[in-house]
Amino acid sequence: MAPAGLAGIVLVLHTADVLHAFAIMEKEDVFKKTPCPAFLMFENAAYLADMSFELPCNCKPEEVTSVVWYFQKHMGSQQTRVLTDFEGTLIVDSSSIKVGSDMLRRFSIRMFSLIVFRVQVEDSGHYICGTKHGDFFYGYDVDVQASKGIDVAFADRNQHPQEDHDETQLTVFTVFWDWTTCNRCDVRGEQRRIGLCYIKSAYLLRRYRTTTAQVASCGSSSIPRQFRGLFQHRKAEVVIRSCTKPCRKKKSSKKGEASISDVISKLGEKPWVPDVPVQFHKQSLGSGLIISCPGARPEHAVAWDKDSTRLYLTRYLIRINGSMRVYIDHGNHLHIRFAQLSDRGTYYCWREGQMVAGFRLSVVYESRRKRSLDDPETLYAVKVILTSYVLITILFAVIHVVRCCLYAFRCTAVK
C-alpha cells in the first residue's frame, strides 16, 4: 500500500478518535452540571398503570461509565432487586412485553436511564441509580396508580370530576394531564384527559423531593402512614369530550382516477374501503377476543370502528354499564366476550387521529373445543354458577326462616 494511503487511514482513525472523545465529553458535561447530593434524596413521580416510564440518572461521577439500577418496594427493605445486566446495556423489545409479566422482563437501560414498560401497581416503590459496588447517586419515589375502577366523567353530559377533599392536615385533589389529540379526523371524535390523585400537606417527609412544595402523589412514600387511610378510596380519573379535526390531505395519484372511483362507488359496484392494511382473523363462536391497535400505547388517542359504525367511548368504555359484552378498556384494547355471529365484520383502528389498521373478523362454529380452567370464559361461567348457587341458597334459607317464624307465631296465637 502506498505511503499516502497509510497516511490517509491514520488521519481518518485519528479523526474518529477525536470525535468519539468529543461525544464522551459532551455526555460528561451533562453530569458536571448536576452534582450528586451528599444525602440521597428521592424524586416523586406518578404514572397510570399499563403505561411506560423513563427514569434518567440525573447525576453520577465522571469516571462511572455504566450504572446499575436497584428497586426497593419499601425504604430499608431487605429485599432489593437489581435491574441490570451489570453492563448497563440491557435492551428489551417493547412490542413483546406481555401484561402481568415480571418486572425483570419489562425494563431496559439506555444511556444510563431506566425504562420500565407497561408498569403495574406492584411496580410502585424506590428506584435507585448507582454502581454494582453499592454506590448510590440518584433516587426516585415512583407511584403507579391503578387503572382498574378508574372514575369516568363525560364533559358533553356536564359531568364533573371528583371534587377536592379537605382534611385538617391535608387536601386531596386531582392533577390532570393535557388533553390528547382528537382520536378521529373528518368525523366526530373524542379526546381523553387523565387525572392522578395528589395531596397537599405540610407534614410530608423531607427526604422526598417534589415538583411543587408540600405536594406529592397519593401513593408516595413521603406521606406519613397515619394519613393514608384518609384518601385510600380516592381513585384516578379520566374525562372524555367530543372533538373534530380535519384529516391530512393526501396527494391524488392520477388525474381523473378519483372521479372514476366515485362514479363506480355511487353505482354500488365498489363500496368505499379505507386504504389501510387489513388482518384476517377467525374466532370460535362463544370464545373471547382482545384486539390491540398496532403501535398504540395507553397514553395515545385511540378509537375503534366496526365497519361504518363508530364505537364511541361514551357507550363502549369499560364499566359504562353492568353487562358489557363488547367494550374498550383504559389501555385502548377492544374486548369481545362470547363472540357471536353478529360480531362478524371489519374493525378499524384509529391512532392519534389517523386510521392505521383493520381487522376482518369471522366467527365460526367449532363442534369440539377443549376448554381449560384458566380460560376467561370458563372463569366467568364458574363465577356466574357460584353466584347463582349462593343467591339460591340464601333465598332458600330466608324462605324457611320466614315459614318457621310464621309457624311459631301461629302456635303462640293458638295458645
Side-chain angles (χ1 to χ4, degrees):
M1 184 178 293
L6 290 174
I9 294 175
V10 171
L11 179 61
V12 170
L13 293 176
H14 178 71
T15 305
D17 291 339
V18 172
L19 292 175
H20 179 67
F22 178 75
I24 294 177
M25 289 176 63
E26 286 292 318
K27 297 175 187 176
E28 292 176 350
D29 287 341
V30 176
F31 298 101
K32 287 179 180 178
K33 297 177 182 178
T34 309
C36 293
F39 186 72
L40 184 63
M41 304 285 290
F42 293 91
E43 181 179 338
N44 179 232
Y47 305 93
L48 191 66
D50 291 327
M51 293 185 174
S52 302
F53 64 71
E54 179 177 356
L55 304 178
C57 188
N58 285 333
C59 73
K60 70 173 187 63
E62 300 179 34
E63 61 273 12
V64 175
T65 58
S66 64
V67 297
V68 175
W69 282 87
Y70 299 90
F71 170 73
Q72 281 188 340
K73 185 67 177 178
H74 305 286
M75 179 53 58
S77 173
Q78 298 298 325
Q79 296 181 353
T80 302
R81 308 187 75 175
V82 182
L83 306 179
T84 188
D85 57 355
F86 290 104
E87 296 295 334
T89 57
L90 187 62
I91 302 295
V92 175
D93 183 9
S94 59
S95 62
S96 62
I97 299 296
K98 295 182 178 179
V99 178
S101 58
D102 189 76
M103 187 198 302
L104 295 177
R105 300 181 180 179
R106 290 187 286 105
F107 80 94
S108 177
I109 296 178
R110 302 173 186 174
M111 291 297 296
F112 311 116
S113 296
L114 175 69
I115 303 174
V116 182
F117 303 97
R118 308 199 71 170
V119 295
Q120 303 300 309
V121 177
E122 295 77 17
D123 297 335
S124 300
H126 299 82
Y127 293 80
I128 306 171
C129 172
T131 65
K132 60 183 179 181
H133 302 295
D135 300 322
F136 301 141
F137 308 134
Y138 205 84
Y140 289 90
D141 168 37
V142 174
D143 170 25
V144 181
Q145 301 186 12
S147 58
K148 185 178 181 180
I150 189 173
D151 286 336
V152 180
F154 297 100
D156 298 342
R157 301 177 183 175
N158 293 324
Q159 296 179 355
H160 301 284
Q162 305 174 83
E163 296 182 354
D164 297 350
H165 180 67
D166 293 323
E167 293 284 346
T168 305
Q169 298 172 322
L170 57 86
T171 300
V172 186
F173 59 98
T174 301
V175 175
F176 283 95
W177 296 356
D178 293 335
W179 288 98
T180 63
T181 184
C182 198
N183 59 12
R184 292 180 177 89
C185 63
D186 282 351
V187 295
R188 184 176 75 86
E190 292 171 319
Q191 287 178 292
R192 188 177 59 164
R193 194 180 191 190
I194 295 175
L196 300 180
C197 176
Y198 277 77
I199 75 159
K200 182 176 182 180
S201 175
Y203 297 94
L204 300 180
L205 302 181
R206 302 301 180 185
R207 190 172 185 179
Y208 295 85
R209 182 184 304 166
T210 57
T211 305
T212 305
Q214 301 181 354
V215 174
S217 61
C218 291
S220 172
S221 298
S222 64
I223 303 174
R225 292 185 178 180
Q226 59 268 26
F227 291 168
R228 297 178 184 176
L230 301 176
F231 53 86
Q232 61 180 356
H233 299 296
R234 180 88 176 198
K235 302 175 182 177
E237 52 191 292
V238 59
V239 182
I240 298 171
R241 70 180 182 185
S242 299
C243 60
T244 56
K245 80 168 187 177
C247 291
R248 291 179 294 183
K249 294 182 179 180
K250 297 182 179 180
K251 297 180 180 180
S252 57
S253 55
K254 293 182 180 180
K255 186 176 180 180
E257 182 177 340
S259 59
I260 294 174
S261 177
D262 292 340
V263 171
I264 296 176
S265 178
K266 290 179 181 179
L267 294 175
E269 297 180 6
K270 183 182 178 182
W272 175 82
V273 177
D275 186 18
V276 294
V278 177
Q279 179 181 347
F280 294 85
H281 181 78
K282 184 184 295 183
Q283 189 71 15
S284 300
L285 183 67
S287 60
L289 175 65
I290 301 176
I291 308 177
S292 300
C293 188
R297 298 194 299 270
E299 58 268 27
H300 283 165
V302 177
W304 291 94
D305 296 342
K306 180 186 177 184
D307 296 325
S308 59
T309 303
R310 315 291 180 196
L311 305 183
Y312 287 112
L313 296 175
T314 50
R315 182 179 176 185
Y316 288 94
L317 186 63
I318 184 173
R319 300 187 187 278
I320 293 299
N321 57 61
S323 57
M324 300 184 67
R325 193 181 60 83
V326 179
Y327 61 89
I328 302 170
D329 65 18
H330 295 291
N332 298 321
H333 304 97
L334 178 64
H335 294 247
I336 301 177
R337 297 173 57 183
F338 304 106
Q340 301 178 2
L341 297 178
S342 59
D343 296 325
R344 292 173 176 173
T346 304
Y347 294 83
Y348 295 103
C349 166
W350 300 71
R351 186 187 69 226
E352 298 294 291
Q354 298 294 326
M355 189 178 291
V356 295
F359 299 86
R360 182 75 58 81
L361 177 63
S362 61
V363 181
V364 298
Y365 175 76
E366 293 184 3
S367 57
R368 295 182 180 179
R369 180 172 179 261
K370 294 183 179 180
R371 295 182 182 273
S372 60
L373 292 177
D374 57 350
D375 282 345
E377 296 83 3
T378 304
L379 295 176
Y380 180 79
V382 171
K383 182 179 178 181
V384 170
I385 293 172
L386 291 178
T387 303
S388 303
Y389 179 78
V390 171
L391 292 177
I392 293 173
T393 303
I394 294 174
L395 181 61
F396 179 80
V398 169
I399 291 175
H400 278 271
V401 169
V402 171
R403 291 185 62 183
C404 291
C405 292
L406 291 175
Y407 180 77
F409 178 76
R410 290 175 182 175
C411 292
T412 305
V414 171
K415 293 180 180 180

